[in-house]
Amino acid sequence: MGEFELIRKLILPLAGETRSAAVLLGPGDDCAIQRLPAGHDLVFSVDTLVEGRHFPVGYHPRHLGWRSLAVAASDLAAMGAEPACFSLALTLPESDQDWLGEFCQGLGEAARAFGLSLAGGDTTRGPLTLSLQVHGTVPAGQALRRSGAGVDQLICVSGTLGEAGAALDYLDVLQPSEPVRQLLTRYHRPQPRLALGQALRPWATAAIDVSDGLMADLGHILAASGIGADLDASSLPVSPALREVVGEKAVALALTAGDDYELCLTMARDDWHHLPDAVRAELTVIGRTRDKTGIDLNGLPPGITLPATGYDHFGAQP
């Protein structure tokens, strides 16, 4: 199947299924056209995923379709953005209609779940690589940034941490136990915290999504804000499934493993009790910011050692 036949049979139907009012013109022209609501800023981000680096060789295409868009959409969540549309640049080693059909099914499921319309893109031949650019909107001046954290503020994370990182050791297991199945679901079907990010706009002073590991990503907030942090490892939100599978390693994974796509944020101490109950229930306080730079980690279980950094795209592969 050639490039134009591929677009006609698989990409254009997907664009039609996910069409939204924000996209005035989708695939089929030289550019897409997106209309911004009055009084809103455009936020956008691009993510590139390379086979063998960001996902395993031979990874199931339906999982890849969902995961590739979830990873990109998580950046919108970190900014408190409302999702609008995305474009896809797809590099394929060959035109495999069965593979593409599965991939588009997963991608379409994610697009509908996240409220993102496929606005356009490109296809070419080469090593399997996906680049997705996501667009969202926020009320003017209200986007969450990494640089807004102040001294003596709460450090919070959403959900639970470490499960997706632990799942990497079980991707080839054919009959996983129930706890392992839960870890695999976190890896295969990450859930970007879009609604939570939007709800946090009035409260968070800084935010980031946890993609490269909590310590690394929190470090980006601290560096951008020019401050440091005291963290309590004993307060980290860790699921029973993760503890059952990896035991005492759960805390180390929660601190350093990537691919959780939860939110890490800072907020004023006095605002914690003013949060809506539903928002506060999604968050766990794990530390405080301070004026001295760096991170001091307390409450680490005996015998647990941590890697020096989180995921590095140009470093050795884990």
Side-chain angles (χ1 to χ4, degrees):
M1 183 166 52
E3 176 187 5
F4 299 112
E5 181 69 3
L6 180 156
I7 293 171
R8 186 185 67 81
K9 292 191 68 172
L10 297 173
I11 304 301
L12 289 179
L14 178 57
E17 292 167 9
T18 61
R19 192 70 177 266
S20 74
V23 179
L24 300 184
L25 183 64
D29 226 296
D30 290 307
C31 292
I33 301 176
Q34 177 186 352
R35 175 164 291 170
L36 297 182
H40 283 66
D41 294 330
L42 172 67
V43 295
F44 55 93
S45 175
V46 63
D47 274 286
T48 297
L49 306 177
V50 180
E51 185 178 41
R53 166 60 70 170
H54 302 102
F55 58 91
V57 174
Y59 190 51
H60 195 287
R62 187 168 178 181
H63 290 326
L64 182 59
W66 177 286
R67 183 174 169 75
S68 61
L69 189 56
V71 168
S74 185
D75 289 332
L76 296 178
M79 302 289 287
E82 299 173 24
C85 59
F86 73 101
S87 57
L88 167 67
L90 183 59
T91 303
L92 298 166
E94 59 183 348
S95 179
D96 182 333
Q97 187 169 348
D98 291 338
W99 188 97
L100 285 166
E102 289 279 356
F103 172 80
C104 286
Q105 185 172 357
L107 185 65
E109 291 169 354
R112 289 184 287 273
F114 307 151
L116 284 162
S117 174
L118 177 59
D122 191 23
T123 57
T124 190
R125 185 165 188 156
L128 182 57
T129 306
L130 302 90
S131 290
L132 293 94
Q133 179 160 306
V134 288
H135 286 201
T137 62
V138 293
Q142 294 187 28
L144 300 177
R145 306 185 185 191
R146 300 179 182 183
S147 58
V151 174
D152 197 29
Q153 294 186 342
L154 302 181
I155 301 169
C156 308
V157 293
S158 65
T160 55
L161 302 174
E163 290 147 294
L168 292 173
D169 291 333
Y170 300 93
L171 293 180
D172 295 328
V173 174
L174 298 179
Q175 294 184 316
S177 65
E178 182 54 34
V180 170
R181 192 186 307 276
Q182 293 180 43
L183 306 187
L184 290 169
T185 297
R186 288 295 304 273
Y187 183 83
H188 294 317
R189 306 274 289 198
Q191 302 289 332
R193 294 296 200 137
L194 292 158
L196 180 61
Q198 295 164 38
L200 285 166
R201 286 197 304 247
W203 310 101
T205 55
I208 193 171
D209 69 324
V210 182
S211 56
D212 296 332
L214 174 64
M215 293 284 282
D217 290 316
L218 173 60
H220 296 319
I221 288 180
L222 301 177
S225 301
I227 56 176
D230 292 308
L231 286 189
D232 179 7
S234 66
S235 67
L236 291 171
V238 175
S239 71
L242 182 62
R243 289 195 183 277
E244 182 172 344
V245 173
V246 303
E248 291 187 351
K249 289 177 57 181
V251 172
L253 286 165
L255 287 165
T256 63
D259 291 326
D260 285 314
Y261 301 103
E262 296 292 347
L263 297 182
C264 175
L265 60 123
T266 57
M267 64 182 301
R269 293 163 64 104
D270 291 343
D271 282 342
W272 175 254
H273 296 291
H274 298 296
L275 286 173
D277 291 343
V279 174
R280 190 168 56 250
E282 296 283 346
L283 303 175
T284 301
V285 177
I286 61 170
R288 305 287 191 276
T289 59
R290 64 183 190 199
D291 55 2
K292 178 186 174 184
T293 58
I295 300 177
D296 283 342
L297 185 60
N298 304 303
L300 199 63
I304 297 296
T305 57
L306 302 177
T309 62
Y311 183 81
D312 181 351
H313 293 273
F314 291 94
Q317 296 187 44

